[in-house]
Amino acid sequence: MRALLLKDLYLTIRYHWYMVPISLMMFTIAVIGYGNIFFEVYPLIFAALIPDSLIAEDKSCGWIEYVNIMPFSRKQYVSAKYIYSAIIFAVILAFVFISHSVRFAVGNGSVPGTEILFAAAWLLLAPTVTMPLIFRLGSGRARISYIAAALVIGAIVPIYTDAELMYRLQPSVHIAAMLISLLLFAVSWLLSIKFFERREL
């Protein structure tokens, strides 16, 4: 499991290094800006898309075809993808909260911190929906999953450009949305294991 997580980390550094400077730029804009928190949650979009990208990389280099002869099970392979996705998401979410705290400290904050959880809940739905499809059909045949991810991410944009709507939602709604999203993520994890164990490579 540790080796699988390290492999994904190396792939992320190699193919997704650009998300670090872009995220820092977005955090900076968020701190000096005012109004909606779209720039703060924007880096979470990277976290939502990385899992699908890593699976596609495994497929494109032919690595996934060797799963059956590797010293780990298909269940471990799927679990590693979900665990790594959760780690990446949690790390970026922590930086988003830090950015939000700095924004409040300099007097540019306009919404409570739980708003970020609401954004994270929406964006976590992207890998939740797409990963079972990819493990069931393969990254090539599951192109519809990328459309689904784009729709999920696109749905959140108008919400976070409407500050008034954010004020009308209670913090309890934000927290409940995150808990529901985490539950769906766990269900997605189990489904992906079932699908991948039955799939012919």
Side-chain angles (χ1 to χ4, degrees), residues 13-153:
I13 294 173
R14 180 173 181 179
Y15 295 107
H16 302 286
W17 59 268
Y18 58 85
M19 77 177 189
V20 175
I22 293 178
S23 296
L24 290 175
M25 180 182 69
M26 291 298 176
F27 287 146
T28 302
I29 294 174
V31 169
I32 64 177
Y34 185 83
N36 67 69
I37 60 171
F38 174 75
F39 290 109
E40 282 181 318
V41 301
Y42 185 85
L44 288 172
I45 295 177
F46 290 127
L49 296 177
I50 281 178
D52 295 351
S53 176
L54 291 176
I55 298 173
E57 289 295 337
D58 285 347
K59 176 64 177 178
S60 65
C61 68
W63 193 91
I64 200 170
E65 277 75 12
Y66 294 97
V67 167
N68 290 332
I69 61 173
M70 293 290 184
F72 52 80
S73 65
R74 293 192 181 195
K75 179 180 179 180
Q76 289 176 314
Y77 175 79
V78 173
S79 295
K81 285 290 184 285
Y82 274 84
I83 292 172
Y84 185 78
S85 301
I87 292 173
I88 290 293
F89 209 85
V91 169
I92 295 181
L93 184 59
F95 277 103
V96 171
F97 271 112
I98 292 173
S99 170
H100 196 72
S101 299
V102 173
R103 185 181 178 192
F104 265 89
V106 298
N108 284 335
S110 60
V111 291
T114 54
E115 303 288 343
I116 296 172
L117 289 179
F118 189 72
W122 271 95
L123 292 171
L124 189 59
L125 288 177
T128 297
V129 171
T130 60
M131 290 178 75
L133 290 174
I134 293 174
F135 281 116
R136 176 66 179 87
L137 303 173
S139 57
R141 294 171 58 193
R143 288 189 178 92
I144 189 174
S145 66
Y146 300 107
I147 299 176
L151 291 175
V152 169
I153 292 172

Side-chain angles (χ1 to χ4, degrees), residues 35-37 110-112 114-115 118 122 155-171 173-174:
N36 67 69
I37 60 171
S110 60
V111 291
T114 54
E115 303 288 343
F118 189 72
W122 271 95
I156 199 175
V157 174
I159 294 176
Y160 276 87
T161 54
D162 187 351
E164 292 298 324
L165 176 60
M166 289 295 95
Y167 279 120
R168 291 197 296 269
L169 294 176
Q170 298 297 319
V173 175
H174 308 150

Side-chain angles (χ1 to χ4, degrees), residues 188-200:
S188 170
W189 187 342
L190 295 176
L191 285 175
S192 292
I193 291 174
K194 293 291 185 182
F195 290 155
F196 196 56
E197 286 180 337
R198 298 175 182 176
R199 178 180 152 199
E200 292 186 7

